[in-house]
């Protein structure tokens, strides 16, 4: 049996075999990730990326900020996405004399996503090391998070929804004094359930685009899990989890249909509609060498507990990221530090592949 496409005939096995290879490869890598890092802790340091915003669209990574961007992917298209991210939280003032100075509050995260035009299913795995007061003693957390994103786009506006949940395990008060001990305690030591770590969230988002302007809204906790373990829907959760964002992005192509070499974009976001909020300014410059080859530089300022543009640098964080991509592969290097304390930094290294 064959399917006619133009003047060429494509057989059903020709269609199924590449899909099967992708699926098998994805499942193998997913199992390898699970063996190497049982689960993932969704921490601000590991997931934070100044190249993503609720009002951004065009790449698959934007979907994690707002599911409404799923139908608007321009690059990194494919049915399978894999990623790995490493980060830590270093305080150089506390490193002197420690047995594992570069292992502070380290996170490893591996995720796999299966993507269709309007649906994406993501499983995230990872490990978090939490340093205790007694050096070199750590609590090691392992967690699993499953996320389903669905979206649909109309001209100039798209809507999306997200259902996500998971839990985590803990290996308490493990002594780690060398690299082998880090891996053996993270992967092979006995663990127990971390009580109260279960999570469930239903989020909804929308994205409006017109020419170079875009605006997005995302409510991360339209429904969530309360402390008592019940499904909860309330204005307090909606208010604190709502993000509003606007952005300006240069078009990918020039009016002559040539690829734009320098493509800048910028956004402003605010999270939390009552009381003190979190604000963030982002600017990015992308160098587009080829349709599937680019290099980006991003700078951002994020401030917690912000109130009516009364800036408080003691609550601020400055981030600088560099990301390069080619033929579905991409890598990023980032550095975050407190606005009033350059000795406290968070390095981030990430890799991803979309096929």
């Amino acid at each position: 049996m064959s399917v006619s496409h133009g003047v060429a005939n494509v057989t059903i096995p020709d269609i199924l075999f590449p899909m099967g290879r992708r699926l098998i490869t994805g499942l193998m890598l997913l199992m390898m990730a699970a063996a190497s890092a049982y689960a993932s802790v969704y921490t601000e340091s590991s997931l934070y990326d100044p190249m993503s915003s609720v009002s951004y669209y065009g790449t698959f990574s934007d979907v994690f900020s707002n599911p409404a961007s799923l139908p608007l992917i321009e690059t990194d298209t494919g049915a399978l996405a894999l990623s790995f991210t490493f980060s830590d939280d270093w305080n150089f003032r506390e490193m002197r004399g420690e047995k594992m100075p570069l292992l502070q509050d380290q996170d490893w995260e591996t995720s796999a996503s299966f993507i269709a035009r309007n649906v994406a299913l993501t499983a995230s795995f990872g490990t978090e090391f939490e340093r205790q007061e007694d050096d070199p003693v750590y609590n090691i957390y392992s967690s699993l998070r499953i996320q389903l994103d669905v979206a649909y786009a109309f001209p100039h506006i798209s809507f999306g929804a997200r259902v996500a949940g998971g839990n985590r395990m803990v290996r308490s008060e493990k002594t780690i004094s060398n690299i082998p001990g880090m891996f053996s305690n993270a992967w092979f030591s006995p663990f127990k359930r971390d009580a109260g770590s279960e999570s469930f969230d239903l989020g909804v988002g929308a994205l409006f685009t017109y020419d170079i302007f875009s605006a997005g809204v995302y409510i991360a906790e339209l429904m969530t899990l309360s402390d008592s373990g019940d499904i909860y829907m309330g204005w307090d959760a909606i208010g604190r989890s709502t993000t509003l964002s606007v952005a300006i992005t240069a078009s990918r192509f020039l009016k002559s249909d040539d690829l734009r070499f320098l493509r800048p974009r910028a956004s402003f976001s605010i999270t939390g509609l009552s009381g003190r909020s979190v604000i963030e300014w982002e600017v990015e410059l992308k160098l587009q060498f080829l349709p599937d080859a680019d290099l980006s530089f991003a700078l951002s300022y994020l401030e917690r507990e912000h109130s009516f543009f009364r800036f408080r640098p003691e609550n601020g964080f400055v981030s600088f990221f560099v990301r390069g991509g080619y033929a579905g592969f991409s890598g990023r290097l980032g550095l975050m530090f407190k606005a009033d304390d350059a000795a406290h930094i968070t390095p981030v290294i990430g890799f991803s592949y979309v096929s």
Side-chain angles (χ1 to χ4, degrees):
M1 180 179 178
S2 64
V3 179
S4 178
H5 181 72
V7 296
N9 288 333
V10 181
T11 64
I12 294 298
D14 290 336
I15 298 174
L16 294 180
F17 288 167
M19 293 176 61
R21 284 197 296 268
R22 288 180 177 178
L23 180 60
I24 292 172
T25 302
L27 291 175
M28 290 178 63
L29 290 173
L30 187 59
M31 290 186 291
M32 291 172 61
S36 63
Y38 172 77
S40 153
V41 178
Y42 259 39
T43 60
E44 295 168 354
S45 60
S46 64
L47 286 185
Y48 174 72
D49 186 348
M51 296 179 178
S52 294
S53 169
V54 167
S55 55
Y56 283 170
Y57 65 95
T59 67
F60 180 67
S61 61
D62 295 323
V63 176
F64 292 102
S65 297
N66 189 347
S69 67
L70 180 60
L72 306 178
I73 297 175
E74 299 173 337
T75 61
D76 299 335
T77 57
L80 173 67
L82 302 170
S83 67
F84 171 78
T85 303
F86 161 90
S87 70
D88 208 324
D89 190 14
W90 293 341
N91 190 335
F92 290 107
R93 296 188 182 91
E94 298 177 358
M95 286 185 175
R96 296 177 182 177
E98 292 186 350
K99 294 182 179 180
M100 294 287 289
L102 297 182
L103 181 62
Q104 299 289 321
D105 294 288
Q106 196 169 112
D107 297 335
W108 309 338
E109 180 177 296
T110 305
S111 67
S113 301
F114 297 93
I115 312 161
R117 180 170 179 80
N118 299 101
V119 181
L121 177 64
T122 301
S124 297
F125 305 86
T127 302
E128 177 188 12
F129 297 85
E130 183 182 83
R131 181 183 285 270
Q132 304 300 295
E133 292 182 0
D134 297 330
D135 181 43
V137 178
Y138 299 81
N139 287 342
I140 307 172
Y141 296 95
S142 298
S143 68
L144 166 66
R145 181 178 173 93
I146 303 297
Q147 174 176 304
L148 176 66
D149 295 311
V150 295
Y152 193 82
F154 299 92
H156 301 299
I157 191 168
S158 61
F159 300 94
R162 169 173 299 153
V163 179
N167 60 11
R168 68 179 185 177
M169 304 294 180
V170 60
R171 297 170 170 89
S172 301
E173 298 183 350
K174 298 298 180 179
T175 300
I176 302 177
S177 56
N178 51 48
I179 298 297
M182 179 178 68
F183 289 101
S184 63
N185 279 286
W187 297 344
F188 305 114
S189 62
F191 57 83
K192 62 181 180 180
R193 175 175 167 271
D194 185 20
S197 65
E198 296 81 5
S199 66
F200 170 83
D201 298 298
L202 170 64
V204 293
L207 187 62
F208 171 79
T209 62
Y210 183 79
D211 197 17
I212 65 172
F213 174 80
S214 62
V217 56
Y218 180 58
I219 304 173
E221 298 178 4
L222 181 65
M223 297 178 64
T224 189
L225 203 62
S226 67
D227 294 337
S228 60
D230 299 323
I231 300 297
Y232 174 73
M233 182 177 182
W235 290 113
D236 56 340
I238 294 174
R240 70 169 177 261
S241 67
T242 297
T243 299
L244 304 176
S245 181
V246 293
I248 295 177
T249 305
S251 60
R252 189 180 180 207
F253 295 95
L254 301 170
K255 292 182 178 180
S256 61
D257 291 333
D258 293 325
L259 191 69
R260 184 186 299 273
F261 178 59
L262 297 178
R263 188 185 186 190
R265 67 178 179 177
S267 78
F268 171 75
S269 305
I270 180 169
T271 301
L273 302 182
S274 59
R276 296 190 181 276
S277 306
V278 177
I279 65 166
E280 182 178 11
W281 299 86
E282 301 180 4
V283 292
E284 178 186 344
L285 179 63
K286 177 181 288 188
L287 282 64
Q288 299 183 125
F289 302 104
L290 296 169
D292 61 350
D294 55 64
L295 180 65
S296 300
F297 302 89
L299 180 67
S300 77
Y301 174 77
L302 181 147
E303 185 174 296
R304 307 188 187 283
E305 298 186 6
H306 181 82
S307 179
F308 300 106
F309 290 92
R310 296 177 181 176
F311 293 96
R312 303 174 64 186
E314 64 273 15
N315 294 333
F317 297 84
V318 178
S319 303
F320 178 74
F321 274 59
V322 179
R323 179 170 64 192
Y326 177 70
F329 291 93
S330 66
R332 63 182 179 129
L333 296 174
L335 189 65
M336 296 179 282
F337 57 91
K338 297 191 66 174
D340 65 341
D341 184 7
H344 195 136
I345 68 170
T346 298
V348 178
I349 302 174
F351 303 94
S352 66
Y353 173 67
V354 180
S355 172

